[in-house]
Every structure is written in structure tokens, then in C-alpha cells.
Amino acid sequence: MNVTSLLDLTGIFVFALSGAVMGVRKRLDVVGMAVLASMTALGGGILRDLILNVRPAAFESLGYVLVPLLATVIVFFWHPQVERSMPAVLVFDAAGLGLFCAVGTEKALTFGLSPLHAVLLGVTTAVGGGILRDVLAGQIPSLLYDRQLYAVPALLGSAVMASLWRLGHAGWQATLAAAVLAFTLRMFAMRYSWRAPLARGVPDD
């Protein structure tokens, strides 16, 4: 297993944890927890691959199926401990966001999409699973009220990835640079409570 695959599975695991924790908060049974964990972890990548008209990577490796199930088992038995560890989990979640937006953009460019469409698909890869999680859990997707800058870091990371690709700087170095940018911006947003602006004249809460 190479470093990229290991990082990919790590991101899947952390996203799956957040989905399973949502299941606990919504008082779902273990099946519901597993569904939310899997959709959160794999939904964005599956949407990306379906748009690219290729077999989803989630169906190419057993690890993509087992990792969300492992996260579900951990949360099922030890959800109080996982809840207390959420600040640390959010750090890894930010890392997963950065990695997924960069990898998603790179894959889209590899399949011949324009830079603009590749950026959109990179963002979809990063946040699509969270949208599916929220919809299945019966709440407004957090993407629609990006109050702690979740989609914005993914958008900027994807844009940097596409720009580096156009300049001829493809490869893991470009992927890492774009991922680190998105990760850093997300961490600053959490640390300093940065928020996306509301419409003019709408009071902030």
C-alpha cells in the first residue's frame, strides 16, 4: 500500500466516524449508523466517479467497504469516548477534506475535464459525502450554511490543484500543496470562527 492509498483510507475512516456519530445523535440503530458512515466516507468519491463515467473506486478495493464498517463498530461501542475526541477528529477531518478535494480535482483533470469543471468535481469529492449524510439524517446540509468555512477551503484547494496542473506541476507535490492549503484554511476557520458572509442587510447571529 502506497502513501496516497493510506492517506485516502485515513480520510475515509475519519469521515466515517463523523457519519456514525451523527447516527448516534439521531438515535439510529447500528444499520443506520453504518449507512451514514459509509455515505459520509464514500459518497463524494462515488458521485465523482459516476460523473466521470468510471467504476467507483469504492467498488475496486475491499478496504473502502471495511473501513467505514470499522468506524461504525468503534462508535457503536465507544461513542462517548469518540465524542470527547471530536476536536482531534476534526483535525483529521480537515486533512481528509484537503486530500479529497485535491485528489478529486486531479482525477477529473486526468479524465480530460476543463479546469473549472475539475474544480467543481474536486469540491464535490470533498463535501458530497457530508451532503448525503445530512440529507439522510433529515437536516439541512451544512454546505448550505457554510458558517465555519467548509466548502470554501475545498474550493480554494481544488483551484490551486487545477492551476498547478495547468502550469505543468502535476504529481504528488502538487496534490500535497493543494491539500495543505485547504487543510490550513479549514483549521484557521475553526480556530478563529471565520464564517462565510450572509446576504447584505441580514443580521449575523
Side-chain angles (χ1 to χ4, degrees):
M1 180 182 295
N2 57 37
V3 175
T4 302
S5 297
L6 182 60
L7 291 174
D8 197 25
L9 290 176
T10 301
I12 288 172
F13 177 73
V14 175
F15 281 3
L17 283 179
S18 69
V21 168
M22 173 74 78
V24 173
R25 293 173 178 171
K26 294 293 183 177
R27 300 182 61 82
L28 302 183
D29 61 21
V30 66
V31 175
M33 290 172 59
V35 169
L36 285 188
S38 299
M39 287 297 99
T40 306
L42 305 176
I46 291 175
L47 287 173
R48 175 201 64 210
D49 292 342
L50 290 177
I51 292 172
L52 292 176
N53 198 28
V54 298
R55 181 183 297 174
F59 296 97
E60 295 283 353
S61 171
L62 190 60
Y64 283 86
V65 178
L66 295 181
V67 168
L69 295 180
L70 174 62
T72 301
V73 170
I74 291 173
V75 174
F76 182 82
F77 286 105
W78 298 287
H79 61 87
Q81 292 87 342
V82 174
E83 290 270 18
R84 287 196 296 269
S85 301
M86 282 309 291
V89 171
L90 287 175
V91 174
F92 288 103
D93 180 84
L97 178 80
L99 178 68
F100 282 13
C101 75
V103 170
T105 303
E106 182 181 27
K107 187 168 185 177
L109 291 166
T110 301
F111 276 81
L113 268 67
S114 70
L116 175 59
H117 291 102
V119 167
L120 295 177
L121 203 50
V123 175
T124 299
T125 305
V127 306
I131 294 175
L132 293 175
R133 176 201 62 210
D134 292 343
V135 169
L136 290 173
Q139 65 182 39
I140 299 174
S142 57
L143 179 67
L144 299 183
Y145 52 98
D146 195 11
R147 306 299 284 141
Q148 286 191 334
L149 296 189
Y150 199 80
V152 172
L155 179 63
L156 292 179
S158 296
V160 167
M161 182 70 236
S163 299
L164 291 174
W165 179 280
R166 285 296 300 270
L167 294 173
H169 301 295
W172 68 266
Q173 296 94 336
T175 303
L176 180 62
V180 168
L181 173 65
F183 168 77
T184 302
L185 181 56
R186 172 62 178 155
M187 292 300 298
F188 274 108
M190 290 191 294
R191 174 65 177 83
Y192 297 106
S193 299
W194 291 349
R195 296 183 170 188
L198 298 175
R200 182 180 180 183
V202 176
D204 201 351
D205 52 14

